[in-house]
Amino acid sequence: MFKKFSPSTDIAGQTPVKSSVQRTIRANILSQWKIEPETLEAIWPKKEGLVHVKCREHLSIYTVHNEPIVFQHFDGPLYPTLRLLHKYPYILPKVVVDRGAIRFLLAGAAMMAPGFTSKGGWLPPPEEAVPVDAAVAIHAEGKEHAMGIGITKMGTEDIKKVTKGVAVDTTTYLGDDLWALPSL
């Protein structure tokens, strides 16, 4: 999504978000992520205005004090930025890829099932299974912080059974053009 993102050419405009829309976004974040209202208040205080940055290809970035905190494609789910995920690592379910997949992840490639099922990879246990089309934090074997955020293309239990094909589609990753922009 942010492989070739340039603010000078890809941003169409910035507009403040109405308070009714902000309440809807706040409610969506609370329902989609594993986050407490107090934590969301620390990230984005209710009194602070949210700015909607409209970008190419129906991409929306929401900022507080010019710092990107959330992005969305079309009317799909809201994703935290990688910088926000580093501050609050528990807001998305965690999956771990083995060392062999790190260079592909840093290039923005989709993560394949063998990277999660081989030695060094990790998927949540059955009681914490992640469904299809859910946002996940992609960690690398032996690393503390997330290296990417992606959307599951198979449920975690299916990944364990099938062990072939695309498991997680990468939306943003360490070193992409969104990561390079600490503020907009």
Side-chain angles (χ1 to χ4, degrees), residues 12-68:
Q14 298 183 11
T15 56
V17 179
K18 295 191 310 188
S19 60
S20 60
V21 176
Q22 287 187 34
R23 283 192 298 273
T24 304
I25 292 170
R26 193 176 284 278
N28 287 342
I29 288 172
L30 289 170
S31 67
Q32 292 173 13
W33 303 352
K34 296 188 296 185
I35 190 169
E36 297 296 322
E38 296 79 25
T39 308
L40 183 57
E41 183 68 25
I43 296 168
W44 166 30
K46 283 185 180 176
K47 299 290 181 190
E48 296 296 331
L50 191 68
V51 176
H52 178 202
V53 179
K54 297 175 186 171
C55 304
R56 64 171 166 80
E57 297 178 16
H58 306 284
L59 192 62
S60 298
I61 302 172
Y62 295 98
T63 64
V64 174
H65 297 298
N66 293 330
E67 180 186 343

Side-chain angles (χ1 to χ4, degrees), residues 2-183:
F2 296 101
K3 208 168 209 169
K4 293 180 181 175
F5 183 79
S6 171
S8 59
T9 58
D10 293 331
I11 293 178
Q14 298 183 11
T15 56
V17 179
K18 295 191 310 188
S19 60
S20 60
V21 176
Q22 287 187 34
R23 283 192 298 273
T24 304
I25 292 170
R26 193 176 284 278
N28 287 342
I29 288 172
L30 289 170
S31 67
Q32 292 173 13
W33 303 352
K34 296 188 296 185
I35 190 169
E36 297 296 322
E38 296 79 25
T39 308
L40 183 57
E41 183 68 25
I43 296 168
W44 166 30
K46 283 185 180 176
K47 299 290 181 190
E48 296 296 331
L50 191 68
V51 176
H52 178 202
V53 179
K54 297 175 186 171
C55 304
R56 64 171 166 80
E57 297 178 16
H58 306 284
L59 192 62
S60 298
I61 302 172
Y62 295 98
T63 64
V64 174
H65 297 298
N66 293 330
E67 180 186 343
I69 58 167
V70 178
F71 65 92
Q72 181 180 32
H73 188 250
F74 283 103
D75 288 331
L78 295 162
Y79 302 100
T81 60
L82 206 50
R83 289 184 194 279
L84 182 65
L85 188 64
H86 285 184
K87 292 178 188 172
Y88 303 94
Y90 51 84
I91 61 177
L92 289 180
K94 175 182 175 179
V95 294
V96 180
V97 293
D98 63 4
R99 290 189 185 275
I102 293 174
R103 67 184 179 123
F104 298 107
L105 175 59
L106 293 177
M111 296 292 92
M112 307 301 280
F116 296 108
T117 56
S118 64
K119 185 179 177 188
W122 181 84
L123 292 167
E127 59 273 4
E128 297 174 20
V130 180
V132 177
D133 292 329
V136 292
I138 306 169
H139 290 254
E141 177 186 3
K143 304 297 179 195
E144 179 185 350
H145 294 292
M147 295 184 72
I149 297 172
I151 308 165
T152 55
K153 291 297 167 192
M154 292 189 263
T156 52
E157 292 306 303
D158 293 336
I159 295 170
K160 291 176 187 176
K161 290 176 190 167
V162 176
T163 69
K164 288 185 180 179
V166 175
V168 177
D169 209 6
T170 307
T171 56
T172 184
Y173 56 93
L174 204 60
D176 69 0
D177 291 334
L178 181 62
W179 174 260
L181 294 172
S183 65

